[in-house]
Amino acid sequence: MADQQESVLQERGTVRAVERALDVLLCFRTKDELGLTEISKMIGLHKSTVHRLLATLETRGFVRREQTDRYRIGWSILELTSGIYRSGDFSTVVFPEMTALRDRIGETVSLYVRSGFERIRIQAVEGIHAVRRVANIGMRFPLHIGASGKVLLAFCSEPLLDRMEEAGTFPPNFNKAEFERQLEDIRKRGYAVTFEEREAGAAAVAAPIITRQNQVSAALSVSGPIDRFSEANLERFIVACVESANLIGKVFPF
Amino acid sequence: MADQQESVLQERGTVRAVERALDVLLCFRTKDELGLTEISKMIGLHKSTVHRLLATLETRGFVRREQTDRYRIGWSILELTSGIYRSGDFSTVVFPEMTALRDRIGETVSLYVRSGFERIRIQAVEGIHAVRRVANIGMRFPLHIGASGKVLLAFCSEPLLDRMEEAGTFPPNFNKAEFERQLEDIRKRGYAVTFEEREAGAAAVAAPIITRQNQVSAALSVSGPIDRFSEANLERFIVACVESANLIGKVFPF
DNA sequence: CCGGTTGTTTCACAGTATAAAACACTGGTT
DNA sequence: AACCAGTGTTTTATACTGTGAAACAACCGG
């Protein structure tokens, strides 16, 4: 036994059928309505397999369909999200403080956490000038682009930068030495400022959220159109952002 | 083949390992931090199985853990929720209209959909007097209690009431004939009003959201402390709620 | 009426998830 | 200190169960 081929163990102690089902679910972050064959092409599985997985996901409410032939994310997902925010002081402290910061400076306030080589916006309060009302909560962004990404990277305890390089996360023209200098600067100052990095015409200030265990598990950012980030405003934004980040860090549940 | 025992086919064409993994996930709607054995007791599976499922969920970011030994819902869930709201006119029409309604009347506005024998609050805008800032989005409630539940039940195309009775959803003292009279009344009026049904001291008004396909797929409700639901206010609430529900129905994506 | 789509069902086979048991580690109790 | 009752983790043989090819059904536009 334990043949020469080792019988294709995937990684280690993980259930393949479940992985595939989760991959099916993750397809819905790109589009919110998908067909069976569409999904099977996306993840390279045979239709019948995907069909069975979808049927299973449907029994637990993770997937639903109004009209036959079109699948959508189900309501069970919502039930689970509510759990994220319910936890600890999130609703009593974190969200109110973010709102207060927004009211003080008028710009959009966002909260990011790191997940692998990316960051995820887990909460946001739109600026008073914003047109859109619902923030893109849950959206992923690169870790090496944008103020809050750099903060998360700068204050990360592990040598993440090296691992990202190995994994080929960076573009060919990426200057690692220069980037490390930037991170060192951010560590020294205690915050990051970026202009038009992630998005043209936009600027951002970000500060680390330092938990009671002295770990940086999140970043708080203030972002908006570059023309409102004048030198005078910038100073105000930095002070306010760092202050709020410190306050949130005292109760941050993660 | 096809032994007398039929080899315990679960239901039909569904993957057991995946069902179990999803059940593990659903455990997190009760508590937001769980231990391994805690989960294994909740769903009656052996520790090693749950451990493997959790490991699998972790690879895809559906579960995470800060400190060893404590599991939490992962960030992938957030990515999927954002998809729900991104869809169609949700962010451009539904949410703004709910906010406008709240601004007009000051009370909490909620949006519910039916899922099985329950209803789920899929969006909410807190009333101006509310203390809590983050609504319990994703929370489930009974279908036969509360104004929006009754609306969903009254305008449901299938004979849901009978099926719920068969399934034993109702308490022993439930008066079905009387309940059907109430539903008939709601159908006739086009809205529902309840006092202290789901919660003591609270009242609610709810109206059906009728889609372009002439189906009731959701209910819009206005709720608040019973003392603000005086006769004069009630009339205003009803008119405003029905009006907003009609408007939302014109674009409702589900 | 056909070829190109869908989504659904079936079925034999082998691969794979399973649970029991042994293991390692922690924190509290005697 | 030794103990015990909890954790989470790893390993293993066995048989259950997920797999994908192929056949099926239903739809659409040409």
Side-chain angles (χ1 to χ4, degrees), chain B residues 222-242:
Chain B
V222 172
S223 58
I226 197 167
D227 54 293
R228 282 204 297 271
F229 278 63
S230 64
E231 211 153 307
N233 276 340
L234 194 59
E235 194 55 40
R236 274 181 48 228
F237 292 174
I238 291 169
V239 172
C241 184
V242 169

Side-chain angles (χ1 to χ4, degrees), chain A residues 1 12 16-17 20 45-49 52-53:
Chain A
M1 317 67 189
R12 205 174 60 189
R16 203 178 60 165
R20 290 172 162 180
L45 285 178
H46 288 238
K47 286 194 303 177
S48 65
T49 304
R52 212 170 330 104
L53 293 174

Side-chain angles (χ1 to χ4, degrees), chain A residues 151-250:
Chain A
V151 162
L152 290 172
L153 213 38
F155 292 93
C156 185
S157 49
E158 332 162 40
L160 205 60
L161 206 61
D162 299 330
R163 282 177 41 212
M164 288 174 76
E165 196 181 19
E166 286 167 26
T169 314
F170 303 127
N173 61 341
F174 183 75
N175 184 342
K176 195 182 168 198
E178 155 66 11
F179 194 81
E180 280 188 321
R181 273 205 11 248
Q182 288 185 23
L183 296 188
E184 185 52 42
D185 190 50
I186 291 169
R187 270 189 291 268
K188 213 168 56 191
R189 294 174 185 272
Y191 61 83
V193 182
T194 56
F195 296 98
E196 296 192 306
E197 272 200 9
R198 212 199 68 210
E199 200 178 341
V205 170
I209 289 180
I210 302 160
T211 63
R212 286 152 295 186
Q213 295 88 33
N214 232 43
Q215 280 191 324
V216 173
S217 54
L220 187 72
S221 85
V222 171
S223 59
I226 197 169
D227 54 291
R228 281 204 298 272
F229 278 62
S230 65
E231 211 155 305
N233 276 342
L234 194 60
E235 193 55 40
R236 275 181 47 229
F237 292 175
I238 291 169
V239 172
C241 184
V242 170
E243 195 178 327
S244 289
N246 288 338
L247 201 149
I248 289 174
K250 296 208 177 93

